[in-house]
Amino acid sequence: MSTQTFTSTTTLGSQPQAILQLRGAHPTPNTNAFPELDRQGYTVVKNVLSSEKSIEYVKRAFDWLEGFNKGFKRDDRSTWKPENLPAFSRGGLFNRHGAQHEQWAWDVRSEQAIIDVFSKIWDTQELLVSFDAVNVSLPFDKDANFQKESWPHTDQSPLRRYKHCIQGIMNLVEVGPKDGSLLVLEGSFELYNEFFETHDQDAPAEGWSWRDSFVPTEEQMQWFYDRGCKWKKIEAGPGDLILWDSRTIHYGGNAEGDSIRVATYVCYKPAKDIEPDALERRKKCWDELIGTSHDPLLFRETGSIALGPLTEDERLRPLRRPILSDRAKLLAGIESY
């Protein structure tokens, strides 16, 4: 693993530099425009959305949360309690209640400036987008009842040992060193192949799963720590797009102090690469307003309908069906390029 240190941000139009040599002959994303993805596994693309747009999306996110009428008020800190919010996971990951298909979530993923970033990665504007979750993390009191522990994982199957997917977080507020944000294990993506090549004995009896998810044990994490990998919290401003290689071990940190986190998860891949049955499943997910995991092509169904509600009164879908622009219909896969 390289011992060089690289900056954690890049700008549109950066010139390609040294590229990590990757194994595998499968089609892979072209990250020449964002060379840090090949050097360190993550980067921050600055000012993809304007601060004005970011502020408006934050307002709409809080409108949505207040609309559940559970007692949460954005201007009353005393109401910032898990019991005053619809069900979420971890510090503020909302992948239930049809959150993936709220109008504001669709409007974010339809922003041409975000699409343009992924168009550079895949050398095409003909993309499909994930029906992914949103994140609103509030700094709860220390005795609040919610999942506080870290949850290191990768969003790539151990069977895919090559550059396969670039994930994204559209960051809508300022996140600093103590705020809720993405944490990445620096150096872990470079060790991805070596880890699985030397840990065949850790595979379950039926073999590694095709599902794009791997959750290391504490012992397996120690293997990465022993090779110099260290945790880094990604700092970003409103309108910045955080990108990372899916082989990078990561998790979402909880909000601390007085700062909130508002973000959406965005991931795009070429429409031409989807299998016909997966395209039909995408159309079904749109028809029924079901969410999906990160990869727009090899996805799992997520959300209240797919997983089943936690309570009898859980909202399964948005109150209003989102209205898609012509561009969004192409991104959804319900119309063809």
Side-chain angles (χ1 to χ4, degrees), residues 36-51:
E36 288 176 347
L37 286 170
D38 290 312
R39 293 200 303 253
Q40 59 189 23
Y42 66 93
T43 194
V44 179
V45 187
K46 304 295 291 182
N47 302 318
V48 173
L49 296 184
S50 68
S51 58

Side-chain angles (χ1 to χ4, degrees), residues 131-296:
F131 304 158
D132 218 327
V134 302
N135 193 304
V136 183
S137 295
L138 302 172
F140 299 121
D141 293 337
K142 62 181 181 179
D143 58 347
N145 182 24
F146 72 101
Q147 293 171 296
K148 302 178 180 68
E149 72 279 2
S150 63
W151 43 297
H153 65 282
T154 69
D155 292 302
Q156 184 157 323
S157 165
L159 298 176
R160 283 181 267 281
R161 302 180 188 179
Y162 48 89
K163 183 165 56 174
H164 171 66
C165 187
I166 304 300
Q167 295 172 239
I169 289 175
M170 189 61 246
N171 191 64
L172 299 171
V173 299
E174 188 78 28
V175 288
K178 291 189 175 183
D179 301 330
S181 184
L182 178 73
L183 284 94
V184 297
L185 188 64
E186 289 192 300
S188 60
F189 94 108
E190 291 184 271
L191 294 168
Y192 187 86
N193 280 15
E194 181 183 346
F195 174 81
F196 289 109
E197 288 167 0
T198 58
H199 286 74
D200 282 340
Q201 71 278 7
D202 291 351
E206 65 275 15
W208 297 115
S209 173
W210 67 270
R211 294 173 179 268
D212 278 322
S213 177
F214 174 68
V215 182
T217 64
E218 290 185 12
E219 182 180 355
Q220 290 167 337
M221 287 298 302
Q222 190 60 50
W223 185 91
F224 288 95
Y225 297 146
D226 290 344
R227 284 152 182 79
C229 296
K230 297 183 184 300
W231 286 106
K232 178 181 179 60
K233 181 172 282 189
I234 305 301
E235 299 179 31
D240 292 351
L241 178 61
I242 304 171
L243 301 174
W244 72 99
D245 186 308
S246 289
R247 295 169 296 174
T248 302
I249 297 176
H250 64 281
Y251 71 93
N254 297 326
E256 302 174 25
D258 294 322
S259 298
I260 62 171
R261 179 192 185 195
V262 183
T264 67
Y265 300 89
V266 290
C267 187
Y268 306 71
K269 276 191 167 183
K272 65 180 178 58
D273 292 336
I274 194 167
E275 296 292 336
D277 62 331
L279 181 59
E280 290 307 308
R281 286 177 58 218
R282 281 183 63 88
K283 292 178 179 178
K284 171 180 175 288
C285 288
W286 162 252
D287 288 342
E288 299 183 21
L289 298 182
I290 296 170
T292 71
S293 53
H294 302 303
D295 191 321

